[in-house]
Every structure is written in structure tokens, then in C-alpha cells.
Amino acid sequence: MKNVGEAPQEELATGERSTRNRVARSILDHGPSTVAELAGRLGLTQAAVRRHLDALVADDVVEAREQRVYGTRTRGRPAKVFALTDCGRDAFDQSYDKLAADALRWIAEQEGGEQAIAAFARARIAGQAGAYRKAVESAAPGRRTEALAKALSADGYAATARSAPHPQQGEQLCQHHCPVAHVAEQFPQLCEAETEFFAELLGTHVQRLATIAHGDGVCTTFIPKTSHAPPAAQAPTNTANASASTAGRNPA
């Protein structure tokens, strides 16, 4: 996990940074918490907790909310609680990214490791394929890219489908978020396996134009009109070649 709540223009002392991370971690583990609850769990004064919370709020790591009251509301204003923002959760999620990257790096260093990484990437996609295949196969031929985008969005990829800019004849599948971007940056096999799967699922060769893992703002896959697709007997071979040659690269 990256250090959360770091002052942007001054170097925090190690103890300050550690305590600030403990405050954020306590909220992650226990949910929205009051100043008093945090102080009790962490063994800090309420004044110290408020100081760290102010910094975390300024860095968009936590946000203040009114405490939800279940049942009869008592007199007085509801207590203020502090909850993690999406940005704050992302900071903790990166610890899992590091674990995944470390594991894949270890595999890659073993004999036959590169092939093992590629096999893992394909197996990972295969494990997710059921819902995507069902969504695409139940859609009308002209709506399959849109159906795939909706299925991807349900898994957190914030995907959309749109017509490709002229003079391209086809569509663009855009994924505005990638839950594995930090790992895919080091292991492009994850992007390549995904691209190959899209081609197989949609029944045509596709071209990956950009990826978040490569530093682009969105993962963009070009899907030509099906009339331009290769013959069915040749599709698997052409699909793999086209996908592997373009996945994870910026547009030329």
C-alpha cells in the first residue's frame, strides 16, 4: 500500500506517516468511525485523531459523513463519522497489486515462466468467460459489442461501445477503468489474453489501440464490421496473431 495522507509539500516524519496510515487502516477495517471510536482503538487523544483526519480529508483519502441512525433517532445532531473515499480504498488496493505482481514475477523467473504467465492469463479470462459469453450470444448481431461493454461494466471496467471514427468501419470498445492495471503494466500477457478473448467472443479479429496499463487514459479496442472478419476456419489463428501483436501498445 502506498502511504496515504502524505503532505504534498513537506516531508512527514516516519511516526506521523505511520500513525496517519493506522487511522486510515482502522477505518478500512471497522467501517465509518467517529473520532472517539478511532481514538479508543488506536490509543490516541481525540485531538491527535482530528489532526490526522484533517490531513486525510485534505488528501481525499477520507470524508466526513453524518452517522446513520437505525431505529428511533435521539435528540441532538447525529455524530459525524469518517469513511474512506474511493481514492482512499485505491491506496490500500495497491498492496494486493504488489502481491500479485510479486507472485507473477516469481513465476516468470522460473524455467518456462513466460509461457506459464501467458497460460495463467488465458486461464484467468476463461474463468470469467461465462457471463460475457452469455451476454454476447443473447444479443442481436449488431449489438454484441454493446452487450460485451455492459457485461464488462458489471465487473468494474466502466466500459462503453461507440462507432469508430471515420474512415474506420467498425466500433470501439472503451474500458475506462482497469482493476488490474498496475499488474498489467508489468505483465502485458494479461492484456494480450483479454484481447484474444474479445476476438474469439465477437467472432472477428480485433486490434488493441491503447491500454491504461501502458499509460493511456482508456483501454481502446477496435472491432471491425463482421463483414471484414476472416473466414471462420482461419479465425483462431489470425485472432491470436493480431491480438498478440497489438495488445498493450499505444496507437502508432
Side-chain angles (χ1 to χ4, degrees):
M1 183 199 76
K2 70 180 181 181
N3 292 317
V4 296
E6 294 186 10
Q9 297 181 0
E10 61 180 3
E11 185 68 24
L12 285 174
T14 301
E16 287 281 288
R17 185 184 302 115
S18 175
T19 303
R20 198 158 295 175
N21 286 338
R22 287 175 59 214
V23 172
R25 182 77 205 195
S26 184
I27 296 173
L28 177 72
D29 291 341
H30 297 275
S33 305
T34 64
V35 169
E37 289 168 342
L38 287 165
R41 288 198 297 262
L42 299 173
L44 300 172
T45 65
Q46 293 192 26
V49 169
R50 288 193 183 93
R51 177 166 55 83
H52 289 299
L53 286 171
D54 286 344
L56 292 168
V57 169
D59 288 339
D60 193 31
V61 175
V62 304
E63 61 184 358
R65 302 176 181 172
E66 283 192 356
Q67 187 174 36
R68 291 182 179 178
V69 177
Y70 300 94
T72 304
R73 181 185 292 273
T74 58
R75 292 191 176 188
R77 298 182 61 183
K80 182 185 294 186
V81 296
F82 292 84
L84 286 181
T85 63
D86 289 340
C87 178
R89 289 187 179 279
D90 286 346
F92 284 97
D93 288 344
Q94 288 183 6
S95 63
Y96 297 102
D97 290 344
K98 185 178 185 303
L99 176 63
D102 287 346
L104 290 177
R105 190 177 302 108
W106 184 89
I107 294 172
E109 292 171 354
Q110 309 308 305
E111 184 176 354
E114 291 298 324
Q115 292 82 0
I117 296 296
F120 166 78
R122 293 190 181 98
R124 175 180 173 274
I125 291 295
Q128 302 172 331
Y132 301 150
R133 195 177 302 280
K134 181 178 179 181
V136 169
E137 291 180 351
S138 63
R143 307 293 294 273
R144 288 182 173 176
T145 302
E146 180 183 352
L148 176 57
K150 290 182 178 179
L152 287 166
S153 293
D155 277 348
Y157 288 88
T160 58
R162 65 187 185 192
S163 297
H166 184 77
Q168 293 178 314
Q169 298 297 312
E171 298 174 287
Q172 285 186 349
L173 177 66
C174 300
Q175 295 159 262
H176 301 274
H177 177 65
C178 177
V180 298
H182 296 100
V183 181
E185 180 180 355
Q186 302 175 57
F187 298 96
Q189 295 95 327
L190 296 173
C191 297
E192 292 166 6
E194 182 182 75
T195 308
E196 290 176 10
F197 173 67
F198 289 167
E200 183 272 329
L201 186 61
L202 296 170
T204 183
H205 68 282
V206 304
Q207 183 180 14
R208 183 60 62 91
L209 302 178
T211 64
I212 294 172
H214 198 80
D216 301 297
V218 60
C219 295
T220 306
T221 305
F222 172 65
I223 302 165
K225 285 187 176 180
T226 53
S227 59
H228 295 284
Q234 300 178 8
T237 299
N238 291 345
T239 291
N241 290 341
S243 302
S245 65
T246 57
R249 296 186 182 178
N250 282 324

